[in-house]
Amino acid sequence: MTTACVALMGATTAARAEDAASTTKHKKAASAAATAATPTQIVATQAQIDALNKQIQALQSQLQALASQQDTNAKAVVESRAAAEKAATAATQIAQQQKVTDPNDNSLRLGKGVKLTFGGFIEAASVYRSRNMTADVATPYAAIPLKNSSNYDRGEFRGSARQSRVTMLAESDVGPDTHLGAYFESDFLGVGTSSNSGQSNSYVPRLRQGYLTADWKDTGWHLLAGQSFSLVTTNKSGIDPRTEALPMGPDAQYAAGFDWTRNWGLRVVKDWNRHYWLGVALESPQASISGSTALVPNSNTNPGGSLLNSTANYSTDIAPDLIVKAVAEPGWGHYEVFGLAREFQSRAAGQNYTETGFGFGAAAILPVVPKYVDIQLSTMAGQGIGRYGSSSLPDVTVNPYGRLSPITEVTAMAGVIGHPTSDWDLYAYYGLEQDDSKAFTVAGKAYGYGSGLAVNTGCYTENSPLACAGNTRSVREATAGFWWKFYHGNMGTMQFGMQGEYIRRDLFQGVGGSPSTDDTVLYTAFRYYPF
């Protein structure tokens, strides 16, 4: 019972007692007056008595009103409490219902500690190339056919849903500052030995990413282990996983000049107040080798063995790639610098030989018009870094003695990304990947990569009997496209995109000139993000 109610009851009781005493007093006075008074006085006294009785009735009415008000107030208190309890129960029920039906919450709770979040999209894509490369939605930039191939004058159309993707993120807070996570991502761009595009599409799922993370917020330490994008890949936010600044188009090979891999890695990162980061990673090695010599067959590659693809060749590696990366976000923009070290092993004349590759790179994302226009820049230069470029130019070549020699390369990409409205994303990129020559001549015979003695005379005529032996010197690509989110609401996001690419491939100068080729590519894609 509230203080107001107690006071009201006290006032009511006091009023009743006062009225009772007053009534008794008036009655006694009236009786005494009636005994001693004259008839005229009796009449006057009777009028006073009637007036007093009216006052008594008025006081009694006030007492009844006060009692009624007291009951009403007490009832109101009880009803208010009941209404509050009912509202709290309703709020809890609504919160629980929203937790299940909120379209922005696609998570599932396991027990009390693990949260599962699902994601991904369904894609219906098409690609048309002016040169036939017999390729799905990933364009092999360094394999554009030259004029000596019948594929040069033949276009190619393909439709594909294989880039459709499914993701799952598991998270758990084991303390106020310790966060554990596991991420899985898969698409259907895997190829089995019986895969084909005949009557029934028979391609297989593949692992894109699968890794665990541990984050200690109070100390700024972070751990990642498993298969993920390389530490070389440009990030949008710090060195956080799943924030990679990938080119926006539907081409699964991204864009020429963009540096990346997806492979096994072990990564340790330290951040300082989410403004500066330093990361170190060990990543799975694999060398892209160009050239060979019959003097040392099978010394640099071997076909896959247990649980590897027996139809593919694998380099023999002795140590993981080492990457160190520093990131700064001082308040405007995102800036990165990194270094890369690699080891390449070969065996010749009964001995093992190891060569070292290295690279240095930098990247930046500049919000020139915050929330509307960003500029993305990246570059890398070094020896033995071809594997990290989208064009997949070679890392090393084979010298006349069977030993591996790293090839010098530079990559660069610049992009402009615009968001004029919440429903539209516009983008354009220009990229370059270029190799230097690593050529050898022994007894008038050419070895290595990019030799000026390579015969290119047969590169210009379809089905020419002459040789076309030149190596790719550079790949350039200009890309532009858009995404239009024509539905975005409680049922997810449906969007449509188009992308145009112009790619130019140049060969090294050789006997007969320096051939080149190009390709024009058009992509379309519908995507539905249900989560």
Side-chain angles (χ1 to χ4, degrees), residues 71 88 122 167 220 326 362 378 454 478:
D71 294 340
I122 299 295
T167 69
S378 63

Side-chain angles (χ1 to χ4, degrees), residues 264 282-287 299-300 314-322 341-347 351-357 404:
W264 173 90
L282 300 176
E283 298 185 1
S284 179
Q286 192 63 197
S299 65
N300 304 311
Y314 294 80
S315 62
T316 302
D317 301 286
I318 60 171
D321 293 353
L322 172 64
R342 310 186 66 191
E343 298 291 334
F344 305 101
Q345 188 185 71
S346 57
R347 183 171 178 82
Q351 296 186 46
N352 293 330
Y353 296 92
T354 300
E355 303 291 340
T356 299
L404 298 179

Side-chain angles (χ1 to χ4, degrees), residues 141 247 251 253-258 260 390-391 413 429 433 477 479:
Y141 301 114
D251 192 328
Q253 199 58 26
Y254 302 121
F258 183 66
W260 66 282
S390 285
S391 298
M413 191 193 77
Y429 301 96
E433 297 180 36
E477 180 192 15
T479 297

Side-chain angles (χ1 to χ4, degrees), residues 33-74:
T35 304
T38 64
T40 302
Q41 291 175 329
I42 291 173
V43 172
T45 303
Q46 185 63 44
Q48 293 176 352
I49 292 173
D50 292 339
L52 290 174
N53 287 331
K54 289 181 180 180
Q55 292 179 6
I56 293 171
Q57 291 176 358
L59 289 172
Q60 289 176 342
S61 296
Q62 292 178 4
L63 287 173
Q64 291 176 355
L66 288 172
S68 177
Q69 183 65 35
Q70 178 183 346
D71 294 340
T72 300
N73 289 339

Side-chain angles (χ1 to χ4, degrees), residues 166-525:
V166 59
T167 69
M168 182 182 71
L169 173 65
E171 299 174 280
S172 178
D173 291 319
V174 297
D177 295 303
T178 303
H179 184 77
L180 304 181
Y183 182 72
F184 171 83
E185 181 178 279
S186 178
D187 62 21
F188 302 87
L189 291 173
V191 180
T193 56
S194 62
S195 296
N196 62 79
S197 297
Q199 188 176 50
S200 177
N201 187 299
S202 55
Y203 297 95
V204 297
R206 67 170 183 171
L207 178 66
R208 280 176 56 89
Q209 299 190 78
Y211 57 82
L212 61 89
T213 58
D215 302 283
W216 294 272
K217 298 178 182 178
D218 54 339
T219 61
W221 285 99
H222 311 273
L223 171 70
L224 182 149
Q227 180 164 307
S228 67
F229 278 95
S230 169
L231 189 58
V232 163
T233 310
T234 303
N235 288 96
K236 297 177 184 177
S237 173
I239 309 182
D240 299 334
R242 302 184 300 282
T243 66
E244 294 80 16
L246 307 177
M248 296 186 64
D251 192 328
Q253 199 58 26
Y254 302 121
F258 183 66
D259 301 312
W260 66 282
T261 66
R262 273 195 314 269
N263 59 84
W264 173 90
L266 177 63
R267 179 188 306 178
V268 177
V269 175
K270 175 72 170 74
D271 81 74
W272 289 269
N273 297 320
R274 301 294 297 176
H275 289 296
Y276 302 96
W277 290 259
L278 180 65
V280 179
L282 300 176
E283 298 185 1
S284 179
Q286 192 63 197
S288 172
I289 302 173
S290 174
S292 62
T293 172
L295 298 177
V296 282
N298 299 325
S299 65
N300 304 311
T301 63
N302 288 283
S306 176
L307 298 180
L308 295 176
N309 186 355
S310 61
T311 65
N313 287 330
Y314 294 80
S315 62
T316 302
D317 301 286
I318 60 171
D321 293 353
L322 172 64
I323 303 169
V324 179
K325 183 176 184 178
V327 173
E329 292 180 359
W332 186 84
H334 171 97
Y335 308 91
E336 302 183 0
V337 292
F338 63 86
L340 165 68
R342 310 186 66 191
E343 298 291 334
F344 305 101
Q345 188 185 71
S346 57
R347 183 171 178 82
Q351 296 186 46
N352 293 330
Y353 296 92
T354 300
E355 303 291 340
T356 299
F358 62 88
F360 300 96
I365 298 178
L366 309 176
V368 292
V369 182
K371 298 182 180 180
Y372 289 98
V373 180
D374 295 328
I375 292 178
Q376 181 175 340
L377 305 169
S378 63
T379 186
M380 179 168 61
Q383 293 186 343
I385 62 173
R387 175 199 187 202
Y388 286 87
S390 285
S391 298
S392 299
L393 297 179
D395 296 312
V396 294
T397 189
V398 182
N399 69 18
Y401 313 104
R403 296 172 58 179
L404 298 179
S405 295
I407 299 170
T408 300
E409 181 174 336
V410 61
T411 69
M413 191 193 77
V416 179
I417 302 98
H419 314 284
T421 72
S422 60
D423 295 331
W424 287 87
D425 296 311
L426 311 177
Y427 58 88
Y429 301 96
Y430 179 80
L432 164 71
E433 297 180 36
Q434 181 169 302
D435 278 355
D436 285 349
S437 172
K438 180 71 74 169
F440 309 90
T441 302
V442 175
K445 187 175 180 180
Y447 295 89
Y449 191 80
S451 172
L453 299 179
V455 178
N456 293 332
T457 53
C459 295
Y460 306 94
T461 306
E462 184 175 342
N463 298 324
S464 172
L466 302 176
C468 181
N471 298 125
T472 299
R473 180 174 183 267
S474 66
V475 173
R476 294 176 172 85
E477 180 192 15
T479 297
F482 69 84
W483 287 105
W484 171 39
K485 301 179 182 70
F486 58 88
Y487 174 79
H488 182 70
N490 293 338
M491 301 305 293
T493 299
M494 185 80 77
Q495 64 187 41
F496 172 75
M498 292 187 68
Q499 174 174 301
E501 303 173 0
Y502 176 76
I503 312 160
R504 180 182 174 90
R505 174 192 172 206
D506 295 308
L507 275 61
F508 282 97
Q509 176 77 37
V511 177
S514 54
S516 64
T517 184
D518 60 10
D519 198 357
T520 301
V521 184
L522 178 65
Y523 278 91
T524 67

